[in-house]
Every structure is written in C-alpha cells, then in structure tokens.
Amino acid sequence: MAVDQSPVPRLSANNIQKSFGNLHVLKGITLDALEGDVVSILGASGSGKSTFLRCLNFLERADAGQITINTQTIDLDAKPTKAMDAEIRSLRAHTGFVFQSFNLWTHLTVLENVMQGPLHVLGKSKAEAREEAEAVLQRVGMFERKDYYPAQISGGQQQRVAIARALAMDPDVLLFDEPTSALDPELVGEVLKVMRSLAEEGRTMLVVTHEMSFAQDVSSKVVFLHQGEVDVIGSPGIVFKEGASEHFDKFLVNTRH
Ligand code: ADP
Ligand code: MG
C-alpha cells in the first residue's frame, strides 16, 4: 500500500463568519495552511483581513465555522461551553501573533518581554525561559539589545523582538497582521528579512501584508479578500497573473499609486 506523503494541514479555516452588529465582515472564509505554507492575505482596507486573523487566534470569536489547528477542531457553530473555552485556550498556545504596533511591554526589557510567555503561560523555570529567550533573540539578531527597553530601540528592532516573543512560545503557526505597516520605510527590510528566513526554515505562516514583493516571492499561497469573501486564492503565479480577478487587478493598480 502506498504511504500517504501529503503534507499535514497545520491550520484550516472553514466557512468563517463574523458580524459586528449589522456589519457582516466575514462572509464565509475557507482556507488551509499546510505545514511550511506561507500564506499572504491581501485586500483593501476594511476587507476583513485583521478580523479574520484575529478569529484564527480567538482574539475575536467568529460567529460560525470551524477552525482546526493540527488535529484539534473548534466548531463555532456549536453552543459555547466551558469545555470549548478550555480547548480554545489550549489552541491559542499553538499560534503566535505579531501585531502591526508591536505591543511590547514598555516597562520590561527586551529579554523580559520575550521571557513572559514561557514563564507565565508555559510555566517554564526562569533559567529555562532565559536560555530560550536568548536563543530566539539571537535568531532575530536582537541578542545584543537584550537589556534595552522598547523605547530605546527602533521600530524595526521592536518588531523583531515581537517576532522573538512569538517564537519563544514555540508555535505551530505564526500569524502576522501587517508587521511592517507601522515602520519607517528604511526599517521594513530588516523585518522582512527575518520573516523570509522563518519561511525558509519551513515555518507555517499567515501574513496580512501590503508588501507585494513578499507576497509574490516568499508565499506559497496568496489569498485576496474582497468585502469579507475570498475573491481569489492560489499560488502567487496564479493570483498575480493579470486577469485572475478583476478586483485584484484593480487593487494592484491602486497600491502602485
Ligand atoms: P482590514 O484589516 O482588512 O482593514 P478589518 O478586519 O480591520 O479590516 O475590518 C473590517 C470591517 O470590520 C471594517 O469595516 C471595520 O470597521 C469593522 N470592524 C473591525 N473590528 C470591529 C469591531 N471590534 N467593532 C465593530 N466593527 C469592527
Ligand atoms: Mg487590518
């Protein structure tokens, strides 16, 4: 019998719906990220990109659909229960989230920022948390700044620390919400470089971005959202081909100006 060698789905979203009051923001989004996939999520402002990403990390509770990470599924169509809350907490620990605005603790040093999750969420010892934090800070090129406070380093450096903080939790999936949008143009490159290296290392990543070269060159899959729906999805070669989607062609023209 042939052995199934197909890659493992790390994260699957099925028919995710979300409304805020009367505003129907996500109208049934379905997508898979296989192990090692880098999925770029593109779309105009207000198309639901952040809401979708936040639903995947349960920062926002979707109204309907299913979210599977590894083999664990949360069925959002089912009535919420205490058991579901516990499952959600355990699933959240498998995803790392990187925000546009870094969200570092300003009163803690770089090293302390990275140690918090392992110490307080994973229950590691101080020595272990420190050792691992130092290793991930090396990974993003921020070890030399470990005793600085966030206000003493640049935005690009802060974002690299935020990436280290996410990595310290040893997540199965990394979620990035416009990680370079708050940066001065000259600082974008250092963050993209770290993200490229994580992609090359085979990390599973979903990245909301306006960096078209990242989407085109680094991702294995591109999703374009239009008004809360998947308008077009596929490899960069397919999605970026002129004529794949009228809405996407228009979006590209607008982002170039
Ligand atoms: P994007 O990230 O693609 O710019 P968002 O997901 O942030 O889009 O927002 C999609 C829509 O949902 C927008 O119209 C936004 O105003 C609305 N929205 C997002 N979060 C909330 C919220 N917490 N309460 C009410 N409306 C929201
Ligand atoms: Mg957004």
mmCIF file of all heavy atoms in Angstrom, residues 49-51 100 177-178 208, ligand 2:
data_model
loop_
_atom_site.group_PDB
_atom_site.id
_atom_site.type_symbol
_atom_site.label_atom_id
_atom_site.label_comp_id
_atom_site.label_asym_id
_atom_site.label_seq_id
_atom_site.Cartn_x
_atom_site.Cartn_y
_atom_site.Cartn_z
ATOM 1 N N LYS A 49 -9.360 41.562 6.763
ATOM 2 C CA LYS A 49 -8.113 40.805 6.955
ATOM 3 C C LYS A 49 -7.780 40.634 8.443
ATOM 4 O O LYS A 49 -7.505 39.533 8.899
ATOM 5 C CB LYS A 49 -6.952 41.514 6.238
ATOM 6 C CG LYS A 49 -7.178 41.767 4.767
ATOM 7 C CD LYS A 49 -6.004 42.496 4.115
ATOM 8 C CE LYS A 49 -5.700 43.875 4.688
ATOM 9 N NZ LYS A 49 -6.765 44.885 4.457
ATOM 10 N N SER A 50 -7.789 41.750 9.178
ATOM 11 C CA SER A 50 -7.425 41.672 10.603
ATOM 12 C C SER A 50 -8.461 40.855 11.369
ATOM 13 O O SER A 50 -8.102 40.054 12.240
ATOM 14 C CB SER A 50 -7.349 43.071 11.217
ATOM 15 O OG SER A 50 -6.282 43.780 10.659
ATOM 16 N N THR A 51 -9.717 41.069 11.058
ATOM 17 C CA THR A 51 -10.776 40.327 11.756
ATOM 18 C C THR A 51 -10.584 38.830 11.543
ATOM 19 O O THR A 51 -10.682 38.045 12.489
ATOM 20 C CB THR A 51 -12.162 40.778 11.255
ATOM 21 O OG1 THR A 51 -12.270 42.186 11.452
ATOM 22 C CG2 THR A 51 -13.274 40.063 11.996
ATOM 23 N N GLN A 100 0.763 44.771 14.174
ATOM 24 C CA GLN A 100 1.302 45.923 13.450
ATOM 25 C C GLN A 100 2.055 46.861 14.409
ATOM 26 O O GLN A 100 3.112 47.382 14.081
ATOM 27 C CB GLN A 100 0.136 46.663 12.795
ATOM 28 C CG GLN A 100 0.527 47.873 12.000
ATOM 29 C CD GLN A 100 -0.679 48.488 11.296
ATOM 30 O OE1 GLN A 100 -1.697 47.840 11.086
ATOM 31 N NE2 GLN A 100 -0.565 49.734 10.935
ATOM 32 N N ASP A 177 -0.041 40.401 11.420
ATOM 33 C CA ASP A 177 -1.005 41.374 10.899
ATOM 34 C C ASP A 177 -0.282 42.661 10.503
ATOM 35 O O ASP A 177 0.014 43.496 11.345
ATOM 36 C CB ASP A 177 -2.099 41.675 11.934
ATOM 37 C CG ASP A 177 -3.255 42.458 11.307
ATOM 38 O OD1 ASP A 177 -3.212 42.742 10.093
ATOM 39 O OD2 ASP A 177 -4.206 42.795 12.045
ATOM 40 N N GLU A 178 -0.007 42.803 9.238
ATOM 41 C CA GLU A 178 0.710 43.975 8.695
ATOM 42 C C GLU A 178 1.936 44.334 9.535
ATOM 43 O O GLU A 178 2.043 45.449 10.058
ATOM 44 C CB GLU A 178 -0.237 45.174 8.607
ATOM 45 C CG GLU A 178 -1.387 44.920 7.655
ATOM 46 C CD GLU A 178 -2.028 46.216 7.171
ATOM 47 O OE1 GLU A 178 -1.291 47.207 7.020
ATOM 48 O OE2 GLU A 178 -3.243 46.222 6.941
ATOM 49 N N VAL A 208 -0.795 38.938 6.851
ATOM 50 C CA VAL A 208 -1.531 40.035 6.230
ATOM 51 C C VAL A 208 -0.494 41.087 5.875
ATOM 52 O O VAL A 208 0.263 41.534 6.748
ATOM 53 C CB VAL A 208 -2.583 40.630 7.188
ATOM 54 C CG1 VAL A 208 -3.215 41.877 6.585
ATOM 55 C CG2 VAL A 208 -3.654 39.598 7.519
HETATM 56 MG MG MG B 2 -6.183 45.343 9.329
#
